[in-house]
Amino acid sequence: MRKISLTVLVLALGVFGIITTEMGMVGVLPQVSAELGVTPSAAGWLVGVFALVIAVSGPFTTLLASGVDRKKVLAAAIAVFAVSNAVYALTTQYEVMLAFRVVPALFHPVFFAVALATAARLVPAKDATRATTTVFAGVTVGFAFGVPLTSYLAEHLSLASAFWFGALVNLIAFLGILRFVPSMPVGQRVSYGTQLKVLKRPQMWLTIASIVLVFAAMFSVYGYFAEYLGQVTHMDGTWVSAMLMAFGIVMILGNFAFGSLLRRNLVRTVVAYPALCLLVYVLLYAVGPMLAPMVLTVLVWGAVHSGGLIVSQSWLGRDASDAPEFGNSLFISFSNLGITVGTAVGGWVLAEYGARQLAWAGAGFAVAALIVMGLRLQWERVGERRVAPDDQGSLAAGEVGV
């Protein structure tokens, strides 16, 4: 049991390293722009391209890796992240850094999909949600410490030191996987056709659309966290770094709180999530120019923001329980499509209307997510009414409402 716990923690550390690599770039874009001699918008592509590659390639790379020993997949993926961070630290060429944002992005969804499925497989079925919540804690700890520490190192030491930190974390995770993750060769491989079959379910596409909208709601605002606090609340760099860390610490607590709520009632928790986002963004707009209320709002914002990952993954998992790794890859892929859409719309709002109006972009996406979730649940209710009582048992797993 202790080794299983260590294995899950190692997987969480790998997720922490990946999130530090992916989202840490958000906090160092000004330094990247200055050191590489590119415009802020060009530097922003280092974030956007990463998410876009994940969105486009995720399900396909996961399918290709579905027949390989799980330990080898995890080790290879995290090694790519360690090497990529080293390249960021050493290069002075924008094109090289951009290329090495594309390469790890190809492996990102594979690691996440396999890590989540592996964590769930290593524990009894009743503990699967707790195990996946622990792996997702790597995301929230990444936001809490990885992203702000990356920003702090770039601000106070050097940009290279920030990237060497990312390389070190991923190297430690790589060694942990070699030591603690058992060899897991694929026994009875699920065929490509069986995995792809989940995409033939109409309700799956409504679920996917709601996930895209939830992540667009999250990142249309969070993607410009520093700009909002700097331009609207007039915080300096030190304050922004502190707020990033406070945001992430609260996310750790929120992650486990949402995990507990999901175990009690999945559907109610999922539907409540975009409603909570909507309330947070209204509050964010209202108190934006006020320092003390904004500090408190950042804490509330972080607690709510933390739920987006585990809530969305659990929501999609209902429709892909017969192909969990492929389902996880769909979650990673389309959540990153949501990040791409959200940051693009947020950037447009920032340029055209100013930082304070970002809150309304997030609110609009949250309302759209609520509408699509409502349509998804209505489809489910109609489907259940069409099935005769003696046919209920023939419904495929994941197609019955929780």
Side-chain angles (χ1 to χ4, degrees), residues 13 35 63 66 80 103 114 125 149 188 282 287 289 291 308 337 370 374:
L13 178 63
E35 292 207 14
L63 278 175
S66 62
V80 168
V103 173
V114 175
L149 186 53
Q188 185 176 0
V282 171
V287 305
L291 181 61
L337 177 60
L370 271 172

Side-chain angles (χ1 to χ4, degrees), residues 44 70 73 98 118 136 169 175 196 216 245 272 296 316 358-359 370:
R70 308 291 79 193
V73 170
L98 185 64
T118 299
F136 269 123
V169 170
L175 297 174
L196 289 168
M245 182 166 288
L296 295 175
L316 191 144
L358 286 167
L370 271 172

Side-chain angles (χ1 to χ4, degrees), residues 27-32 35 147-163 236-241:
V28 300
L29 285 180
Q31 291 90 340
V32 169
E35 292 207 14
V147 174
L149 186 53
T150 299
S151 176
Y152 179 87
L153 290 171
E155 181 75 22
H156 297 280
L157 291 180
S158 67
L159 182 62
S161 68
F163 293 134
D236 61 19
T238 301
W239 265 102
V240 170
S241 295

Side-chain angles (χ1 to χ4, degrees), residues 145-299:
F145 299 107
V147 174
L149 186 53
T150 299
S151 176
Y152 179 87
L153 290 171
E155 181 75 22
H156 297 280
L157 291 180
S158 67
L159 182 62
S161 68
F163 293 134
W164 283 122
F165 165 68
L168 178 62
V169 170
N170 285 288
L171 176 60
I172 294 171
F174 171 75
L175 297 174
I177 288 168
L178 294 183
R179 173 66 179 83
F180 294 109
V181 176
S183 179
M184 300 177 69
V186 177
Q188 185 176 0
R189 180 178 175 180
V190 180
S191 69
Y192 292 158
T194 299
Q195 295 181 76
L196 289 168
K197 190 165 61 177
V198 302
L199 294 175
K200 294 181 179 179
R201 302 167 186 165
Q203 69 269 30
M204 170 63 84
W205 289 102
L206 288 171
T207 299
I208 286 172
S210 66
I211 288 172
V212 171
L213 291 167
V214 163
F215 275 80
M218 293 165 64
F219 284 88
S220 58
V221 188
Y222 176 78
Y224 301 93
F225 186 96
E227 285 82 355
Y228 194 92
L229 295 185
Q231 297 178 27
V232 179
T233 317
H234 305 295
M235 293 183 181
D236 61 19
T238 301
W239 265 102
V240 170
S241 295
M243 288 296 94
L244 275 169
M245 182 166 288
F247 186 96
I249 290 171
V250 172
M251 277 187 68
I252 298 173
L253 302 175
N255 176 71
F256 287 102
F258 274 101
S260 177
L261 290 171
L262 285 165
R263 287 193 294 274
R264 294 179 186 179
N265 191 302
L266 189 148
V267 171
R268 288 181 184 175
T269 303
V270 168
V271 174
Y273 184 76
L276 288 172
C277 288
L278 176 60
L279 293 175
V280 166
Y281 292 144
V282 171
L283 181 61
L284 194 68
Y285 180 84
V287 305
M290 298 177 277
L291 181 61
M294 189 61 196
V295 170
L296 295 175
T297 299
V298 165
L299 300 180

